[in-house]
Amino acid sequence: MKEEELIRLITAEVVKELCKRNNSMAIPVALSNRHIHLSQKDLDCLFGPGYTLTKLRDLSQPGQFAAKEKVKLIGPKGILEDVRILGPVRNQTQVEISIGDGYQLGIMPPVRPSGDLADTPGCIVVGPKGVVELKNGVICAQRHIHMSTEDGARFKVRDKEIVKVRCGGLRALVFDQVLVRVSPNFRLEMHLDIEEGNAAGLKNGNFVEILKEG
Amino acid sequence: MKEEELIRLITAEVVKELCKRNNSMAIPVALSNRHIHLSQKDLDCLFGPGYTLTKLRDLSQPGQFAAKEKVKLIGPKGILEDVRILGPVRNQTQVEISIGDGYQLGIMPPVRPSGDLADTPGCIVVGPKGVVELKNGVICAQRHIHMSTEDGARFKVRDKEIVKVRCGGLRALVFDQVLVRVSPNFRLEMHLDIEEGNAAGLKNGNFVEILKEG
């Protein structure tokens, strides 16, 4: 890891810790690039029977990790190479892409919360040992905030509540239709896709706030 | 042109006309993909001395057009192929890309109003007859609304005023820091880059409104 990257990471951690101690209402942001969650069955098809993902790095949400393994996605109009697999395996395979990625593939991904895959389009997934033709599972993830039960109480929001979130700076905006997910297993973080993050001029570790209306 | 596309265009025109007659406060949106405006000097370098751009289609702003000609942009980390030239030629060359494009090139474009190119990064531009090394001119265009003097009066906004704009739907949001440009030569339209448009779930011809605060 480069020294610069290390300093950036340490700084982000220190700021998060200070925010926690100060009982700050700031929420750190993470931008999600295109990725795929696989079922064990599809992982077997793509990488061989009984395959186990190799952890590249932990993600902020406890237990979640970016795997070393990548796949290729094919749609009617194009290909997305080097799409990262996120682990652990799930009950159903889910592909999360941006609207821009969708144009490249020739698939219009509907904006959906994670797991809500009914009537979504599919695509072809290519791994080193096989190919899976997904009937559905391609979505554009609805922007959302993960928070612990403790943070839910602190922010006075319920699981599945829809809130507005304000971002500052030169590309300041207020995101509406932000889904709140509260669980003892979650860690405070807002997830946006790359296009949403870029539209707001946000980078990983920047902070946003829930907008309280009068 | 496909029948479907024709119907879409006619519908958009009819809606615009109705909005005008009804004195609607709705503003149509146009999403700008990466593009370049060239000076005659740089056009000469790239396409040969005295070259004239060929019109592909008119743009919404009077006199502006998309040219048939394209160039290649090269940055320290990558290449953007098939970047459309917009005409007519200008006093200075200006490259407009998204933040995502910037990552691909390895250039971080600052968010700037059109024409404000001091201390911006450059890139290499490749044409069929030559290469130009831009010292500066690469920006991420600040989101803005073009409006006629008449529309300026109707919306009660001045040239260079900064306003907020509300977009509805599943990816509803309020854009802050939206620059208003009023000129007798402009036609009512909000310009966003592709990432901003996708982040808001907007397509060309969708409508947004200026947010009036109490």
Side-chain angles (χ1 to χ4, degrees):
Chain A
M1 191 182 285
K2 281 185 198 159
E3 195 184 346
E4 197 178 85
E5 172 72 356
L6 195 64
I7 291 171
R8 198 187 63 74
L9 281 176
I10 293 170
T11 310
E13 284 307 311
V14 169
V15 170
K16 276 183 202 171
E17 185 56 31
L18 285 175
C19 285
K20 212 168 148 188
R21 289 193 199 169
N22 292 336
N23 209 25
S24 160
M25 299 306 265
I27 298 171
V29 166
L31 308 188
S32 304
N33 205 342
R34 65 188 75 107
H35 63 268
I36 186 168
H37 302 276
L38 287 171
S39 66
Q40 184 62 50
K41 188 182 155 219
D42 288 342
L43 181 61
D44 289 351
C45 283
L46 297 167
F47 288 83
Y51 193 84
T52 308
L53 291 170
T54 319
K55 189 188 286 185
L56 174 69
R57 62 173 185 278
D58 284 311
L59 298 177
S60 60
Q61 297 310 307
Q64 304 294 306
F65 63 90
K68 282 190 180 161
E69 291 82 358
K70 295 174 181 178
V71 294
K72 187 185 291 191
L73 302 181
I74 303 179
K77 282 201 179 164
I79 298 176
L80 292 173
E81 305 272 1
D82 295 328
V83 176
R84 179 76 60 196
I85 302 176
L86 301 192
V89 291
R90 293 190 174 185
N91 289 333
Q92 54 184 353
T93 292
Q94 175 171 306
V95 176
E96 298 181 39
I97 61 173
S98 71
I99 307 281
D101 292 334
Y103 281 110
Q104 204 170 322
L105 286 179
I107 292 170
M108 188 44 68
V111 177
R112 292 286 181 87
S114 184
D116 180 6
L117 305 184
D119 303 319
T120 57
C123 74
I124 291 165
V125 186
V126 182
K129 296 282 176 68
V131 174
V132 170
E133 193 184 340
L134 293 179
K135 296 289 176 229
N136 62 18
V138 181
I139 64 169
C140 181
Q142 185 179 0
R143 48 205 180 216
H144 58 279
I145 303 171
H146 290 278
M147 51 174 84
S148 66
T149 316
E150 191 185 27
D151 283 326
R154 195 158 66 83
F155 283 97
K156 297 186 174 61
V157 290
R158 300 176 313 279
D159 187 43
K160 298 192 180 167
E161 191 169 334
I162 300 291
V163 298
K164 292 180 181 166
V165 170
R166 191 208 313 264
C167 323
L170 246 175
R171 288 193 134 184
L173 57 76
V174 174
F175 284 114
D176 197 351
Q177 300 296 321
V178 181
L179 178 67
V180 174
R181 297 309 314 268
V182 180
S183 155
N185 300 323
F186 288 156
R187 186 175 150 195
L188 187 65
E189 197 166 64
M190 178 171 191
H191 288 182
L192 298 168
D193 75 14
I194 296 280
E195 292 184 318
E196 292 175 311
N198 288 345
L202 290 169
K203 290 180 183 174
N204 283 328
N206 284 171
F207 291 89
V208 296
E209 55 170 343
I210 291 179
L211 193 62
K212 294 287 172 188
E213 286 173 293
Chain B
M1 189 182 291
K2 281 185 197 161
E3 195 183 345
E4 198 177 86
E5 172 71 356
L6 195 64
I7 290 171
R8 198 187 63 74
L9 280 177
I10 293 170
T11 310
E13 284 307 311
V14 169
V15 170
K16 276 184 204 172
E17 186 57 33
L18 285 175
C19 284
K20 211 167 146 187
R21 288 193 200 170
N22 292 335
N23 211 25
S24 160
M25 299 305 262
I27 299 171
V29 166
L31 308 189
S32 304
N33 205 342
R34 63 188 76 106
H35 62 269
I36 185 167
H37 303 275
L38 288 170
S39 67
Q40 185 62 50
K41 189 182 155 221
D42 288 341
L43 181 62
D44 288 352
C45 284
L46 296 167
F47 288 84
Y51 193 84
T52 308
L53 291 169
T54 319
K55 188 187 288 186
L56 173 70
R57 61 171 186 278
D58 285 311
L59 298 177
S60 59
Q61 298 310 309
Q64 303 295 305
F65 63 91
K68 282 190 180 160
E69 291 82 358
K70 296 175 182 178
V71 294
K72 188 186 293 193
L73 303 181
I74 303 180
K77 282 201 179 164
I79 298 175
L80 292 173
E81 305 272 0
D82 295 328
V83 176
R84 179 77 59 197
I85 302 176
L86 301 191
V89 290
R90 294 190 174 185
N91 289 334
Q92 54 184 355
T93 292
Q94 174 171 306
V95 176
E96 298 182 39
I97 61 174
S98 70
I99 307 280
D101 291 335
Y103 281 110
Q104 204 169 323
L105 286 179
I107 292 169
M108 187 46 66
V111 177
R112 291 286 182 87
S114 185
D116 180 4
L117 305 184
D119 304 317
T120 56
C123 73
I124 292 166
V125 186
V126 182
K129 295 282 176 65
V131 174
V132 170
E133 191 183 342
L134 294 179
K135 296 289 177 227
N136 62 19
V138 181
I139 63 169
C140 179
Q142 184 178 0
R143 48 205 180 214
H144 57 278
I145 302 171
H146 290 277
M147 52 174 84
S148 66
T149 316
E150 192 185 27
D151 283 326
R154 195 157 67 82
F155 284 94
K156 297 186 174 58
V157 289
R158 300 177 313 278
D159 187 42
K160 298 192 181 166
E161 191 169 336
I162 300 292
V163 298
K164 292 180 180 164
V165 169
R166 191 206 315 261
C167 322
L170 246 175
R171 288 193 133 184
L173 56 76
V174 174
F175 284 114
D176 197 350
Q177 300 297 321
V178 180
L179 178 68
V180 174
R181 296 309 315 266
V182 180
S183 156
N185 299 323
F186 288 155
R187 186 176 151 196
L188 187 64
E189 196 165 64
M190 179 173 192
H191 288 182
L192 297 168
D193 75 14
I194 296 280
E195 292 184 316
E196 291 175 312
N198 288 345
L202 290 169
K203 291 181 182 174
N204 283 328
N206 285 169
F207 290 90
V208 296
E209 55 170 344
I210 291 179
L211 193 62
K212 292 289 173 189
E213 285 171 292

